[in-house]
Amino acid sequence: MAENQNPPKQKPVQNAISPRRADDFPEWYQSVVTAADMAENSDVRGCMVIKPWGYGIWELMQAQLDKMFKATGHKNAYFPLFIPLSYLEKEAEHVAGFAKECAVVTHHRLEAGSDGKLIPTGKLAEPLVVRPTSETIIGAAYAKWIQSYRDLPLLLNQWANVVRWEMRPRIFLRTTEFLWQEGHTAHETEEQALEETRRMLDVYQNFVRDHLAIPVITGRKSAGERFPGAVDTLCIEAMVQDRKAVQAGTSHFLGQNFAKASGIQYLSREGKKEYAWTTSWGVSTRLIGTLIMAHGDDDGLVLPPRVAPTQVVIIPIIPKDEQRKEILKACGAVAEQIEAELFHKENIRVEVDQRDIQGGVKTWEWIKKGVPIRVEIGPRDLEAGTVFVGRRDKGPKDKQSYPKEGFAAQVPGLLQSIQEAIYDRALAFRHENTKVIESKEEFYAYFTPKNEEKPEIHGGFALAHWNGSPEIEAKIKEDLKVTIRCIPFEEMQQPGKCIFTGEKSEQRVVFAKSY
Amino acid sequence: MAENQNPPKQKPVQNAISPRRADDFPEWYQSVVTAADMAENSDVRGCMVIKPWGYGIWELMQAQLDKMFKATGHKNAYFPLFIPLSYLEKEAEHVAGFAKECAVVTHHRLEAGSDGKLIPTGKLAEPLVVRPTSETIIGAAYAKWIQSYRDLPLLLNQWANVVRWEMRPRIFLRTTEFLWQEGHTAHETEEQALEETRRMLDVYQNFVRDHLAIPVITGRKSAGERFPGAVDTLCIEAMVQDRKAVQAGTSHFLGQNFAKASGIQYLSREGKKEYAWTTSWGVSTRLIGTLIMAHGDDDGLVLPPRVAPTQVVIIPIIPKDEQRKEILKACGAVAEQIEAELFHKENIRVEVDQRDIQGGVKTWEWIKKGVPIRVEIGPRDLEAGTVFVGRRDKGPKDKQSYPKEGFAAQVPGLLQSIQEAIYDRALAFRHENTKVIESKEEFYAYFTPKNEEKPEIHGGFALAHWNGSPEIEAKIKEDLKVTIRCIPFEEMQQPGKCIFTGEKSEQRVVFAKSY
């Protein structure tokens, strides 16, 4: 090797995903989505196609949330996709919040123009807005349905698609069309509506913790970050691996704002006409993006077992064709045993990858898809009566041999151990990247990128005292792109001094950059 | 009684639904929907609100169909709501079929005009159509995803809302927005695509028979009734109680039409570029309307147990307040026992109606909602150790006492017996109202209302020979509003003579009026 050449680089670690998280987090994210075959952008700007692997995760999220909603007394219903413009206008803050991003239907027919090209005809007397959220259209129904206190509480949820025209779309995180659920409830008293708002936030927190293995901070939004038209917005905030925050779910106390806008009145126990107190709460396919960014590694997606469409994949290793039949038979038998085992009361989701391609290629595909447990069975295993097991929460080469006899019975325990390991890692990461900050200087330093080329390397969550001023909040956002993610409920409710003004502060709040 | 008064009328039968089926079927239908609290029209013309009882039925339909789709190798995915106009134009027949009923998004923003009213702004360069069906947008994705025969078959389904602008909406049956599933598959060979088309029709037939308790005739549509762009449309046709037909589900063999329009090509096993063969198939919330019209009676909805959101309701009869506690306790205990029983491998869905209203009022509410089994428990039952049981397939007064001990174990058998009785009744009704017709005169007489005031009283299904001519088909439609519902597969495949022309006919086809 000639001397004038560059010195040999350090041998690069081979990873399935390029670039690595540390090198370019946004690009890494996009690569994971592609490598795991979860979703892709469509030709309609901002609208995604959710592919079977991504949709399978969403189905598991839906099934669990739906169970939790029903257990807390809610029923599902379905309201129209289209909202008359006049409905949207009823709540001033609400329409102001959504007007800039509304898809508007203006015609109901297509006809060939003089050049043969189709043009919209059949102009509507009143344009229709594709729902960005359904408070106003559901409010109109509730106004009809609710007559007396006996009709309350009214506790409904809908699973639906919504559209918010998105100028800077990012798959799963910010898309023009997305899938979600929206709960809408009406109550007799303020107290009951407040309780509901908090109850559903707790449901979200528990779901995200126990199923998605993501720890979240709960609290309320500052006035500037509230849902348009809400009195109070509660939220769960997750930290992902570039140390930014993701608002993963919100629960809104709407006071009587929407009840007044829509005319939701009831005859009280005292025989008086009163406005109902309402709430709304939702989570969306954004949770899938959060999941990817919270747990994924440089080899791709890492799925918590409880939301993995396939929890165990069995990969036949067939070096010689004459062994195919025997090895496939062994794989099938192990699959059957595992399938009969229960993990959190459900049969384990297991798949034998029978495709006629090389075992190593298969293994990497499943790693990229984030499947929790890989079981390889080859000729040597057949001889030794073993299976060769890889866990997605460990390195791709870190595999362990188990006796085939009795292995199936160990799978629920392994899945639970993976679920917990993923959660523990996310929690430790958040702890490492959360800092109590005592001065403005320290705050600005914390959020100022150390490396110009990697602006995403910055501080994580900052816990700091703030005087409650929207002007300070706006200045910080302008200077650093940092916002108040939430005003936590319990922890940190001690008064102190605002680090920006020296004024009185009621409690520390959580600052972070965010998605 | 004075002589000049009218003679006393026959004592009217008291029914929960007014009018009765025999008096005004369309009005009866609307009354059942309202009385069962299933759905209502919204202020957006043609768009319905599906209320919890209606949506609960849809959820059960979805769960079962989803299981059947997965068991036949399909996975779920999700494609965009919006279709670029240029996509729709790719298949000429397809766009011609849907252009007249498309909701078109032309703007993506709202701004206050000079009068303060919101007006659409942000005009789109290319208008977007709200999907009336997704062949074209899914075709665009398939064209990207499918490269080689190894990528085939591709078997996907989506659960979604679709919009077809409806000039004469009728709740559940014909609504501007409706919910449905649409399967879209691509195959290597024509034969495989044909097999898939038929397989999914069989899935629909089995589902509708075993779950909705509705017998259907299966067959293919005549050319005039085909899905726009399809080579062949297979269908299931149900008869409802005004003897009209309802097309309850369709499965389309699309040949290579959409593959050519969207460019879905694959490298064959022989190394040649070939167009894929595709299919699509769907059922919708129209099934709920079919269910109502197939089984409902003059007391309201009649639900087959397998799709009843509540299969057993327990109604406490509490004449004296001091017995409340004891009776409610007994009801709870019976509910718990029933809930633990299995009906088709699922826990029985049971509810105790604890509302503080009169028992008789409750009973009628549950009758109107179509709940299969009502169990009344009052003071006398408590004493005698009995429960008082009403079946929805029998008259409201036709109740039977059962010993409380051991009753729960009988519930699965009772549910099965109700499921079968409802099916048998529907099948017998269809047999009674299906006629082999041998002449044009007989045909016209069969379909000419006998009673001018009740035009819905007409013949049912007519099995007649037809020469295959679209002109004859059009003439019959014009004269009688009767169409060819389907050309059956197996039965009646014997040649004969067309009753309209005397020409050769390959087989009898099914004629009927329809929804």
Side-chain angles (χ1 to χ4, degrees), chain A residues 40 43 50 59 70 76-78 81 87 89 99 102 104-110 118 145 161 167 177, chain B residues 40 43 50 59 70 76-78 81 87 89 99 102 104-110 118 145 161 167 177:
Chain A
E40 66 185 29
D43 284 352
I50 309 180
E59 283 181 296
K70 283 173 178 159
N76 288 328
Y78 188 78
L81 173 67
Y87 277 28
E89 286 173 314
C102 280
V104 190
V105 175
T106 53
H107 297 75
H108 66 81
R109 206 186 302 132
L110 294 168
L118 287 177
W145 299 348
N161 53 345
M167 286 304 167
E177 182 191 15
Chain B
E40 66 185 29
D43 284 350
I50 310 180
E59 283 182 296
K70 284 174 178 160
N76 288 328
Y78 188 78
L81 172 68
Y87 278 27
E89 287 175 313
C102 278
V104 191
V105 175
T106 53
H107 296 75
H108 67 79
R109 206 185 302 132
L110 294 168
L118 288 176
W145 299 347
N161 53 344
M167 286 304 168
E177 182 191 15

Short mmCIF file of all heavy atoms in Angstrom, two decimals, chain A residues 40 43 50 59 70 76-78 81 87 89 99 102 104-110 118 145 161 167 177, chain B residues 40 43 50 59 70 76-78 81 87 89 99 102 104-110 118 145 161 167 177:
data_model
loop_
_atom_site.label_atom_id
_atom_site.label_comp_id
_atom_site.label_asym_id
_atom_site.label_seq_id
_atom_site.Cartn_x
_atom_site.Cartn_y
_atom_site.Cartn_z
N GLU A 40 -45.05 3.02 2.77
CA GLU A 40 -44.34 3.84 1.80
C GLU A 40 -45.19 5.04 1.43
O GLU A 40 -46.40 5.06 1.66
CB GLU A 40 -43.98 3.02 0.56
CG GLU A 40 -45.17 2.57 -0.24
CD GLU A 40 -44.78 1.64 -1.41
OE1 GLU A 40 -43.77 0.93 -1.29
OE2 GLU A 40 -45.51 1.64 -2.41
N ASP A 43 -48.33 8.37 -4.35
CA ASP A 43 -48.21 9.50 -5.26
C ASP A 43 -49.06 10.69 -4.81
O ASP A 43 -48.90 11.80 -5.32
CB ASP A 43 -48.66 9.10 -6.68
CG ASP A 43 -47.58 8.27 -7.37
OD1 ASP A 43 -46.47 8.16 -6.80
OD2 ASP A 43 -47.86 7.73 -8.45
N ILE A 50 -49.99 1.93 3.96
CA ILE A 50 -49.53 1.12 5.09
C ILE A 50 -49.51 -0.33 4.64
O ILE A 50 -50.55 -0.91 4.31
CB ILE A 50 -50.43 1.29 6.33
CG1 ILE A 50 -50.63 2.78 6.63
CG2 ILE A 50 -49.81 0.57 7.53
CD1 ILE A 50 -51.50 3.06 7.85
N GLU A 59 -53.11 -3.18 13.76
CA GLU A 59 -54.23 -4.05 14.16
C GLU A 59 -54.10 -4.52 15.61
O GLU A 59 -55.07 -4.58 16.34
CB GLU A 59 -54.30 -5.28 13.24
CG GLU A 59 -54.90 -4.99 11.87
CD GLU A 59 -54.97 -6.26 11.01
OE1 GLU A 59 -53.90 -6.81 10.68
OE2 GLU A 59 -56.08 -6.68 10.68
N LYS A 70 -63.51 -0.44 25.87
CA LYS A 70 -64.76 -1.10 26.23
C LYS A 70 -64.79 -1.41 27.73
O LYS A 70 -65.82 -1.28 28.37
CB LYS A 70 -64.96 -2.35 25.36
CG LYS A 70 -65.42 -1.95 23.95
CD LYS A 70 -65.51 -3.07 22.96
CE LYS A 70 -66.03 -2.52 21.62
NZ LYS A 70 -65.72 -3.37 20.47
N ASN A 76 -68.32 1.73 20.43
CA ASN A 76 -67.92 2.30 19.15
C ASN A 76 -69.13 2.72 18.33
O ASN A 76 -70.20 2.13 18.41
CB ASN A 76 -67.11 1.29 18.34
CG ASN A 76 -65.72 1.09 18.92
OD1 ASN A 76 -65.13 2.03 19.48
ND2 ASN A 76 -65.18 -0.10 18.80
N ALA A 77 -68.92 3.74 17.53
CA ALA A 77 -69.93 4.23 16.60
C ALA A 77 -69.17 4.77 15.40
O ALA A 77 -67.94 4.70 15.34
CB ALA A 77 -70.78 5.31 17.26
N TYR A 78 -69.92 5.29 14.41
CA TYR A 78 -69.23 5.85 13.25
C TYR A 78 -69.98 7.09 12.74
O TYR A 78 -71.19 7.04 12.52
CB TYR A 78 -69.11 4.81 12.13
CG TYR A 78 -68.25 5.32 11.00
CD1 TYR A 78 -66.86 5.33 11.13
CD2 TYR A 78 -68.82 5.86 9.85
CE1 TYR A 78 -66.06 5.85 10.12
CE2 TYR A 78 -68.02 6.38 8.85
CZ TYR A 78 -66.64 6.37 8.99
OH TYR A 78 -65.85 6.90 8.00
N LEU A 81 -67.58 11.15 7.31
CA LEU A 81 -66.28 11.65 6.87
C LEU A 81 -66.32 13.14 6.56
O LEU A 81 -65.33 13.85 6.74
CB LEU A 81 -65.90 10.88 5.58
CG LEU A 81 -64.67 11.30 4.79
CD1 LEU A 81 -63.40 11.03 5.60
CD2 LEU A 81 -64.59 10.57 3.46
N TYR A 87 -70.60 23.78 10.19
CA TYR A 87 -70.37 23.12 11.49
C TYR A 87 -69.02 23.56 12.05
O TYR A 87 -68.88 23.83 13.22
CB TYR A 87 -70.31 21.60 11.32
CG TYR A 87 -71.63 20.89 11.28
CD1 TYR A 87 -72.78 21.50 10.82
CD2 TYR A 87 -71.70 19.57 11.71
CE1 TYR A 87 -73.98 20.81 10.77
CE2 TYR A 87 -72.89 18.88 11.66
CZ TYR A 87 -74.02 19.50 11.19
OH TYR A 87 -75.19 18.80 11.15
N GLU A 89 -67.37 26.10 11.56
CA GLU A 89 -67.28 27.51 11.95
C GLU A 89 -67.87 27.80 13.33
O GLU A 89 -67.68 28.89 13.86
CB GLU A 89 -68.02 28.38 10.89
CG GLU A 89 -67.23 28.51 9.60
CD GLU A 89 -68.01 29.21 8.50
OE1 GLU A 89 -69.20 28.88 8.30
OE2 GLU A 89 -67.43 30.09 7.84
N ALA A 99 -58.31 25.39 9.89
CA ALA A 99 -58.65 25.93 8.55
C ALA A 99 -57.50 25.82 7.56
O ALA A 99 -57.70 25.58 6.37
CB ALA A 99 -59.12 27.37 8.68
N CYS A 102 -57.17 21.97 5.70
CA CYS A 102 -58.39 21.19 5.41
C CYS A 102 -58.49 20.78 3.94
O CYS A 102 -58.41 21.63 3.06
CB CYS A 102 -59.61 22.05 5.72
SG CYS A 102 -60.00 22.08 7.45
N VAL A 104 -60.88 20.11 1.04
CA VAL A 104 -62.25 20.60 0.83
C VAL A 104 -62.86 19.96 -0.41
O VAL A 104 -62.29 20.03 -1.51
CB VAL A 104 -62.27 22.14 0.67
CG1 VAL A 104 -63.71 22.65 0.71
CG2 VAL A 104 -61.44 22.82 1.76
N VAL A 105 -64.01 19.32 -0.21
CA VAL A 105 -64.77 18.75 -1.33
C VAL A 105 -65.72 19.83 -1.84
O VAL A 105 -66.52 20.37 -1.07
CB VAL A 105 -65.58 17.52 -0.89
CG1 VAL A 105 -66.46 17.02 -2.03
CG2 VAL A 105 -64.66 16.41 -0.41
N THR A 106 -65.61 20.15 -3.12
CA THR A 106 -66.42 21.23 -3.69
C THR A 106 -67.37 20.73 -4.79
O THR A 106 -68.29 21.44 -5.16
CB THR A 106 -65.53 22.31 -4.30
OG1 THR A 106 -64.63 21.67 -5.22
CG2 THR A 106 -64.72 23.03 -3.22
N HIS A 107 -67.12 19.54 -5.32
CA HIS A 107 -67.92 19.01 -6.44
C HIS A 107 -68.25 17.55 -6.21
O HIS A 107 -67.53 16.85 -5.49
CB HIS A 107 -67.15 19.15 -7.76
CG HIS A 107 -66.87 20.57 -8.16
ND1 HIS A 107 -65.90 21.33 -7.53
CD2 HIS A 107 -67.43 21.37 -9.09
CE1 HIS A 107 -65.87 22.53 -8.08
NE2 HIS A 107 -66.79 22.59 -9.03
N HIS A 108 -69.32 17.08 -6.86
CA HIS A 108 -69.70 15.68 -6.65
C HIS A 108 -69.82 14.89 -7.96
O HIS A 108 -70.51 13.88 -8.02
CB HIS A 108 -70.98 15.57 -5.83
CG HIS A 108 -72.21 16.09 -6.50
ND1 HIS A 108 -72.91 15.36 -7.43
CD2 HIS A 108 -72.85 17.27 -6.41
CE1 HIS A 108 -73.94 16.07 -7.85
NE2 HIS A 108 -73.93 17.23 -7.26
N ARG A 109 -69.16 15.38 -9.00
CA ARG A 109 -69.25 14.67 -10.27
C ARG A 109 -68.04 15.01 -11.11
O ARG A 109 -67.37 16.04 -10.90
CB ARG A 109 -70.52 15.11 -10.99
CG ARG A 109 -71.05 14.06 -11.97
CD ARG A 109 -72.24 14.58 -12.78
NE ARG A 109 -73.35 15.02 -11.99
CZ ARG A 109 -74.00 16.19 -12.16
NH1 ARG A 109 -73.61 17.04 -13.09
NH2 ARG A 109 -75.01 16.52 -11.39
N LEU A 110 -67.74 14.13 -12.07
CA LEU A 110 -66.68 14.40 -13.04
C LEU A 110 -67.28 14.30 -14.43
O LEU A 110 -68.05 13.38 -14.71
CB LEU A 110 -65.55 13.36 -12.90
CG LEU A 110 -64.76 13.39 -11.61
CD1 LEU A 110 -63.90 12.13 -11.49
CD2 LEU A 110 -63.89 14.64 -11.52
N LEU A 118 -61.17 14.91 -17.82
CA LEU A 118 -62.24 15.02 -16.82
C LEU A 118 -62.09 16.30 -16.01
O LEU A 118 -60.98 16.67 -15.61
CB LEU A 118 -62.17 13.83 -15.87
CG LEU A 118 -62.63 12.49 -16.45
CD1 LEU A 118 -62.43 11.40 -15.41
CD2 LEU A 118 -64.09 12.55 -16.87
N TRP A 145 -79.21 13.74 20.48
CA TRP A 145 -79.41 12.53 21.29
C TRP A 145 -79.60 12.82 22.78
O TRP A 145 -80.23 12.06 23.50
CB TRP A 145 -78.21 11.58 21.13
CG TRP A 145 -78.01 11.11 19.73
CD1 TRP A 145 -78.87 11.25 18.67
CD2 TRP A 145 -76.86 10.44 19.21
NE1 TRP A 145 -78.33 10.70 17.54
CE2 TRP A 145 -77.09 10.20 17.85
CE3 TRP A 145 -75.65 10.02 19.77
CZ2 TRP A 145 -76.16 9.55 17.03
CZ3 TRP A 145 -74.72 9.37 18.97
CH2 TRP A 145 -74.98 9.15 17.60
N ASN A 161 -60.37 7.33 9.65
CA ASN A 161 -59.30 8.08 8.99
C ASN A 161 -59.61 9.57 9.09
O ASN A 161 -60.78 9.96 9.05
CB ASN A 161 -59.15 7.64 7.52
CG ASN A 161 -60.47 7.71 6.77
OD1 ASN A 161 -61.54 7.82 7.36
ND2 ASN A 161 -60.40 7.64 5.45
N MET A 167 -47.82 20.03 5.15
CA MET A 167 -46.84 20.62 4.24
C MET A 167 -45.49 19.92 4.31
O MET A 167 -44.75 19.89 3.33
CB MET A 167 -46.68 22.12 4.55
CG MET A 167 -47.88 22.93 4.07
SD MET A 167 -48.18 22.66 2.27
CE MET A 167 -49.80 23.38 2.06
N GLU A 177 -53.24 12.07 5.45
CA GLU A 177 -54.28 11.16 5.97
C GLU A 177 -53.64 10.28 7.02
O GLU A 177 -52.52 9.79 6.82
CB GLU A 177 -54.84 10.26 4.85
CG GLU A 177 -55.96 9.35 5.36
CD GLU A 177 -56.36 8.25 4.36
OE1 GLU A 177 -55.62 8.01 3.40
OE2 GLU A 177 -57.42 7.63 4.57
N GLU B 40 -78.77 6.74 11.89
CA GLU B 40 -79.65 7.83 11.47
C GLU B 40 -78.98 8.63 10.38
O GLU B 40 -77.76 8.54 10.18
CB GLU B 40 -80.03 8.72 12.67
CG GLU B 40 -78.86 9.47 13.24
CD GLU B 40 -79.22 10.26 14.51
OE1 GLU B 40 -80.15 9.83 15.24
OE2 GLU B 40 -78.57 11.28 14.76
N ASP B 43 -76.72 15.47 8.73
CA ASP B 43 -77.04 16.66 7.94
C ASP B 43 -76.30 16.67 6.61
O ASP B 43 -76.61 17.46 5.73
CB ASP B 43 -76.68 17.93 8.72
CG ASP B 43 -77.71 18.20 9.81
OD1 ASP B 43 -78.76 17.53 9.82
OD2 ASP B 43 -77.46 19.08 10.65
N ILE B 50 -73.67 5.85 12.15
CA ILE B 50 -73.95 4.49 12.61
C ILE B 50 -73.84 4.49 14.13
O ILE B 50 -72.77 4.74 14.68
CB ILE B 50 -72.98 3.46 12.00
CG1 ILE B 50 -72.92 3.65 10.46
CG2 ILE B 50 -73.39 2.04 12.35
CD1 ILE B 50 -71.98 2.67 9.78
N GLU B 59 -69.19 -4.62 13.72
CA GLU B 59 -67.95 -5.12 14.34
C GLU B 59 -67.92 -6.66 14.35
O GLU B 59 -66.88 -7.26 14.12
CB GLU B 59 -67.82 -4.61 15.78
CG GLU B 59 -67.38 -3.16 15.89
CD GLU B 59 -67.23 -2.71 17.33
OE1 GLU B 59 -68.25 -2.68 18.06
OE2 GLU B 59 -66.11 -2.39 17.74
N LYS B 70 -58.23 -14.10 6.55
CA LYS B 70 -56.88 -14.50 6.97
C LYS B 70 -56.70 -16.01 6.80
O LYS B 70 -55.62 -16.46 6.40
CB LYS B 70 -56.61 -14.02 8.40
CG LYS B 70 -56.32 -12.51 8.40
CD LYS B 70 -56.18 -11.89 9.77
CE LYS B 70 -55.84 -10.40 9.60
NZ LYS B 70 -56.15 -9.59 10.79
N ASN B 76 -54.15 -7.76 5.77
CA ASN B 76 -54.71 -6.42 5.65
C ASN B 76 -53.64 -5.38 5.40
O ASN B 76 -52.50 -5.51 5.85
CB ASN B 76 -55.48 -6.05 6.93
CG ASN B 76 -56.78 -6.82 7.04
OD1 ASN B 76 -57.41 -7.13 6.03
ND2 ASN B 76 -57.19 -7.12 8.25
N ALA B 77 -54.01 -4.34 4.69
CA ALA B 77 -53.13 -3.20 4.45
C ALA B 77 -54.05 -1.98 4.36
O ALA B 77 -55.26 -2.09 4.53
CB ALA B 77 -52.37 -3.41 3.15
N TYR B 78 -53.46 -0.81 4.12
CA TYR B 78 -54.30 0.39 4.00
C TYR B 78 -53.74 1.32 2.93
O TYR B 78 -52.56 1.65 2.94
CB TYR B 78 -54.39 1.13 5.34
CG TYR B 78 -55.40 2.24 5.25
CD1 TYR B 78 -56.76 1.98 5.33
CD2 TYR B 78 -54.98 3.56 5.07
CE1 TYR B 78 -57.69 2.99 5.21
CE2 TYR B 78 -55.92 4.58 4.95
CZ TYR B 78 -57.27 4.29 5.02
OH TYR B 78 -58.19 5.28 4.90
N LEU B 81 -57.00 7.41 0.92
CA LEU B 81 -58.39 7.82 0.70
C LEU B 81 -58.55 8.56 -0.62
O LEU B 81 -59.59 8.49 -1.26
CB LEU B 81 -58.79 8.76 1.86
CG LEU B 81 -60.12 9.49 1.79
CD1 LEU B 81 -61.28 8.51 1.91
CD2 LEU B 81 -60.23 10.53 2.91
N TYR B 87 -55.22 8.74 -12.17
CA TYR B 87 -55.27 7.30 -11.93
C TYR B 87 -56.60 6.74 -12.40
O TYR B 87 -56.68 5.68 -13.02
CB TYR B 87 -55.16 7.00 -10.44
CG TYR B 87 -53.78 6.98 -9.86
CD1 TYR B 87 -52.74 7.71 -10.42
CD2 TYR B 87 -53.51 6.20 -8.73
CE1 TYR B 87 -51.48 7.69 -9.85
CE2 TYR B 87 -52.27 6.17 -8.17
CZ TYR B 87 -51.25 6.92 -8.72
OH TYR B 87 -50.02 6.89 -8.15
N GLU B 89 -58.56 7.76 -14.53
CA GLU B 89 -58.76 7.81 -15.98
C GLU B 89 -58.11 6.65 -16.73
O GLU B 89 -58.37 6.45 -17.91
CB GLU B 89 -58.23 9.14 -16.54
CG GLU B 89 -59.13 10.32 -16.19
CD GLU B 89 -58.54 11.65 -16.62
OE1 GLU B 89 -57.34 11.89 -16.35
OE2 GLU B 89 -59.26 12.46 -17.22
N ALA B 99 -67.58 8.11 -12.62
CA ALA B 99 -67.42 9.57 -12.74
C ALA B 99 -68.64 10.35 -12.25
O ALA B 99 -68.49 11.43 -11.67
CB ALA B 99 -67.12 9.94 -14.19
N CYS B 102 -68.66 10.97 -7.98
CA CYS B 102 -67.39 11.13 -7.27
C CYS B 102 -67.36 12.41 -6.44
O CYS B 102 -67.61 13.49 -6.96
CB CYS B 102 -66.25 11.23 -8.28
SG CYS B 102 -65.72 9.64 -8.85
N VAL B 104 -65.17 15.22 -5.10
CA VAL B 104 -63.90 15.73 -5.61
C VAL B 104 -63.32 16.79 -4.68
O VAL B 104 -63.97 17.78 -4.36
CB VAL B 104 -64.06 16.34 -7.02
CG1 VAL B 104 -62.70 16.61 -7.64
CG2 VAL B 104 -64.89 15.43 -7.92
N VAL B 105 -62.08 16.56 -4.23
CA VAL B 105 -61.36 17.54 -3.41
C VAL B 105 -60.59 18.44 -4.35
O VAL B 105 -59.79 17.96 -5.17
CB VAL B 105 -60.38 16.84 -2.44
CG1 VAL B 105 -59.55 17.87 -1.68
CG2 VAL B 105 -61.13 15.95 -1.47
N THR B 106 -60.84 19.74 -4.25
CA THR B 106 -60.19 20.69 -5.17
C THR B 106 -59.30 21.69 -4.45
O THR B 106 -58.49 22.35 -5.07
CB THR B 106 -61.26 21.48 -5.94
OG1 THR B 106 -62.16 22.07 -4.99
CG2 THR B 106 -62.05 20.58 -6.89
N HIS B 107 -59.46 21.82 -3.14
CA HIS B 107 -58.70 22.81 -2.36
C HIS B 107 -58.18 22.18 -1.07
O HIS B 107 -58.76 21.21 -0.58
CB HIS B 107 -59.59 24.01 -2.01
CG HIS B 107 -60.05 24.79 -3.22
ND1 HIS B 107 -61.05 24.31 -4.05
CD2 HIS B 107 -59.66 25.98 -3.73
CE1 HIS B 107 -61.25 25.19 -5.03
NE2 HIS B 107 -60.42 26.21 -4.86
N HIS B 108 -57.13 22.80 -0.51
CA HIS B 108 -56.57 22.23 0.72
C HIS B 108 -56.46 23.24 1.85
O HIS B 108 -55.69 23.07 2.78
CB HIS B 108 -55.23 21.55 0.45
CG HIS B 108 -54.13 22.50 0.07
ND1 HIS B 108 -53.45 23.24 0.99
CD2 HIS B 108 -53.61 22.82 -1.13
CE1 HIS B 108 -52.54 23.98 0.37
NE2 HIS B 108 -52.62 23.74 -0.91
N ARG B 109 -57.27 24.28 1.77
CA ARG B 109 -57.20 25.29 2.82
C ARG B 109 -58.51 26.06 2.86
O ARG B 109 -59.25 26.09 1.87
CB ARG B 109 -56.05 26.26 2.52
CG ARG B 109 -55.49 26.93 3.77
CD ARG B 109 -54.45 27.97 3.44
NE ARG B 109 -53.32 27.47 2.67
CZ ARG B 109 -52.83 28.06 1.58
NH1 ARG B 109 -53.38 29.16 1.09
NH2 ARG B 109 -51.80 27.54 0.96
N LEU B 110 -58.78 26.68 4.01
CA LEU B 110 -59.94 27.56 4.14
C LEU B 110 -59.45 28.91 4.62
O LEU B 110 -58.60 28.99 5.51
CB LEU B 110 -60.93 27.00 5.17
CG LEU B 110 -61.62 25.68 4.83
CD1 LEU B 110 -62.33 25.12 6.06
CD2 LEU B 110 -62.61 25.87 3.69
N LEU B 118 -65.86 31.60 5.55
CA LEU B 118 -64.73 30.81 5.07
C LEU B 118 -64.94 30.41 3.62
O LEU B 118 -66.04 30.02 3.22
CB LEU B 118 -64.58 29.55 5.91
CG LEU B 118 -64.04 29.74 7.33
CD1 LEU B 118 -64.04 28.42 8.06
CD2 LEU B 118 -62.64 30.33 7.29
N TRP B 145 -44.69 -3.00 -6.55
CA TRP B 145 -44.30 -4.09 -5.67
C TRP B 145 -44.03 -5.39 -6.41
O TRP B 145 -43.26 -6.24 -5.96
CB TRP B 145 -45.39 -4.36 -4.62
CG TRP B 145 -45.66 -3.19 -3.72
CD1 TRP B 145 -44.90 -2.05 -3.59
CD2 TRP B 145 -46.78 -3.02 -2.83
NE1 TRP B 145 -45.47 -1.20 -2.69
CE2 TRP B 145 -46.63 -1.76 -2.20
CE3 TRP B 145 -47.89 -3.81 -2.50
CZ2 TRP B 145 -47.54 -1.29 -1.25
CZ3 TRP B 145 -48.78 -3.34 -1.58
CH2 TRP B 145 -48.61 -2.09 -0.96
N ASN B 161 -63.54 3.23 4.43
CA ASN B 161 -64.74 3.96 4.02
C ASN B 161 -64.58 4.34 2.55
O ASN B 161 -63.48 4.62 2.09
CB ASN B 161 -64.94 5.22 4.89
CG ASN B 161 -63.70 6.10 4.94
OD1 ASN B 161 -62.60 5.68 4.58
ND2 ASN B 161 -63.86 7.32 5.40
N MET B 167 -77.76 9.86 -5.21
CA MET B 167 -78.86 10.79 -5.41
C MET B 167 -80.12 10.37 -4.65
O MET B 167 -80.93 11.21 -4.27
CB MET B 167 -79.17 10.94 -6.91
CG MET B 167 -78.12 11.79 -7.62
SD MET B 167 -77.94 13.42 -6.82
CE MET B 167 -76.44 14.02 -7.60
N GLU B 177 -71.46 7.82 1.82
CA GLU B 177 -70.30 7.18 2.43
C GLU B 177 -70.76 5.85 2.99
O GLU B 177 -71.81 5.77 3.62
CB GLU B 177 -69.74 8.04 3.57
CG GLU B 177 -68.49 7.40 4.20
CD GLU B 177 -68.05 8.07 5.51
OE1 GLU B 177 -68.83 8.82 6.10
OE2 GLU B 177 -66.91 7.80 5.94
#
